[in-house]
Amino acid sequence: MQLRKVTAASAAVLALALTATACGSEDKDDAAGSDGGGKITIGIKIDQPGLGLKTPDGKFAGFDVDIATYVAKELGYDAKNIEFVETKSADRETAIERGDVKFIAATYSINDERLQKVDFAGPYLLAHQDVLVRADDNSIKSPEDLNSKNLCSVTGSTSAKNVKDKLAPKAQLQNYGGYSECLTGLENKAVDALTTDDSILAGYAAQDAHKGKFKLAGFKMTNENYGIGLKKGDADLKKKIDAALTKMVSDGSWDKAVEANFGPANYKNEPAPKIGNVVK
């Protein structure tokens, strides 16, 4: 009888412990899955200076990183609880749909095709397609001046093709593997210009190794509205991110981030766009 009493008592204690453990796990899961607790995973680019770059010491820097960090803080996450992961352009919608990331800030232009799959907060930056030329080159004053010039095209990009098809049909496209190679070619005069979004060009030109060597032409050939991508239908998160972006502009943090990341390239950025105002 005594053994049965001890066993019954032990069983009661065990049941109570299990109940407490279950409650604790549930609380922890709730905290981790809600704004203000646990960790948050954010998608960024890791190879674009000035926007999203993983530095040799394993840290992350750039305008998109600053935007994402500010937004995460407003959602209740400390910087130490942010996990940045690389999201390449072709993988962004999939990463959001699978739930691999909470949101993405990665030179992610808002367009109708993407809006079929994901939602966007913002926009937080209005960029334009532009060209980068050598600082001492005054021969390219308009897109038409690119005719008969060697225009660098990064493999897989449509930017240079857009220039050739619509503005400078006689431009000579030179295909390179990446923007860094284009910059080397530009510096060595193997090419005369490099084209992509002005924000990306400014980021490269602002690197210490490139300061003073290049300049943006300022052609503004297209409008690129950078937004924060998130799961389609998540209206609550979209509202919170929009509020965070609005606050970032109003308290001056947006301007500071622009100056810190693009200032050395003399990037003539557009004023901070109004939330929901996508410029066609």
Side-chain angles (χ1 to χ4, degrees):
M1 291 293 295
Q2 186 65 28
L3 179 59
R4 285 200 298 270
K5 288 182 180 179
V6 172
T7 302
S10 299
V13 171
L14 179 59
L16 183 60
L18 288 173
T19 299
T21 302
C23 291
S25 298
E26 185 177 352
D27 289 343
K28 183 179 180 181
D29 290 342
D30 286 345
S34 64
D35 301 334
K39 295 185 179 295
I40 184 171
T41 304
I42 302 172
I44 59 168
K45 295 290 184 65
I46 65 170
D47 58 355
Q48 290 183 341
L51 287 155
L53 183 70
K54 187 174 183 179
T55 59
D57 60 1
K59 296 180 180 179
F60 299 93
F63 184 69
D64 284 348
V65 174
D66 290 345
I67 290 285
T69 301
Y70 189 99
V71 169
K73 180 180 178 182
E74 289 302 303
L75 292 177
Y77 296 93
D78 291 333
K80 64 182 180 182
N81 290 328
I82 299 173
E83 180 185 3
F84 288 115
V85 296
E86 179 183 16
T87 49
K88 296 181 179 180
S89 296
D91 301 330
R92 288 178 296 204
E93 285 83 34
T94 301
I96 291 171
E97 291 172 340
R98 282 197 313 234
D100 297 341
V101 295
K102 186 78 168 179
F103 62 78
I104 289 177
T107 59
Y108 203 1
S109 297
I110 302 170
N111 61 39
D112 292 339
E113 181 181 355
R114 290 168 179 162
L115 283 167
Q116 299 299 313
K117 299 179 180 179
V118 300
D119 281 341
F120 284 94
Y124 62 86
L125 182 71
L126 176 59
H128 307 281
Q129 186 181 339
D130 200 355
V131 297
L132 192 72
V133 298
R134 288 182 293 277
D136 60 355
D137 186 353
N138 297 312
S139 67
I140 302 175
K141 298 179 180 179
S142 72
E144 290 74 21
D145 292 333
L146 293 168
N147 280 304
S148 301
K149 298 284 189 179
N150 291 321
L151 180 63
C152 190
S153 174
V154 174
T155 303
S157 171
T158 60
S159 296
K161 186 175 184 300
N162 288 341
V163 173
K164 185 174 176 64
D165 289 348
K166 300 176 183 178
L167 299 168
K170 294 182 180 179
Q172 304 299 313
L173 299 188
Q174 306 291 320
N175 292 315
Y176 284 66
Y179 293 118
S180 295
E181 294 173 49
C182 279
L183 285 168
T184 299
L186 187 58
E187 184 176 4
N188 297 334
K189 300 186 177 182
V191 297
D192 300 301
L194 160 63
T195 184
T196 187
D197 294 357
D198 53 7
S199 58
I200 297 174
L201 295 174
Y204 278 101
Q207 288 183 292
D208 289 339
H210 300 144
K211 286 180 181 177
K213 296 180 180 179
F214 309 110
K215 63 183 178 182
L216 288 160
F219 294 157
K220 298 184 178 181
M221 294 178 282
T222 64
N223 295 321
E224 306 296 335
N225 299 269
Y226 291 174
I228 292 183
L230 60 144
K231 186 165 290 187
K232 194 163 185 65
D234 195 341
D236 182 60
L237 180 60
K238 182 178 185 300
K239 181 179 179 181
K240 290 178 179 178
I241 294 178
D242 280 342
L245 293 173
T246 299
K247 182 179 178 181
M248 187 175 186
V249 173
S250 65
D251 70 12
S253 298
W254 189 91
D255 287 321
K256 290 180 181 178
V258 168
E259 178 60 29
N261 292 293
F262 302 128
N266 294 318
Y267 175 46
K268 302 297 188 286
N269 63 283
E270 298 281 3
K274 293 183 179 179
I275 298 302
N277 183 26
V278 177
V279 180
K280 299 293 186 180

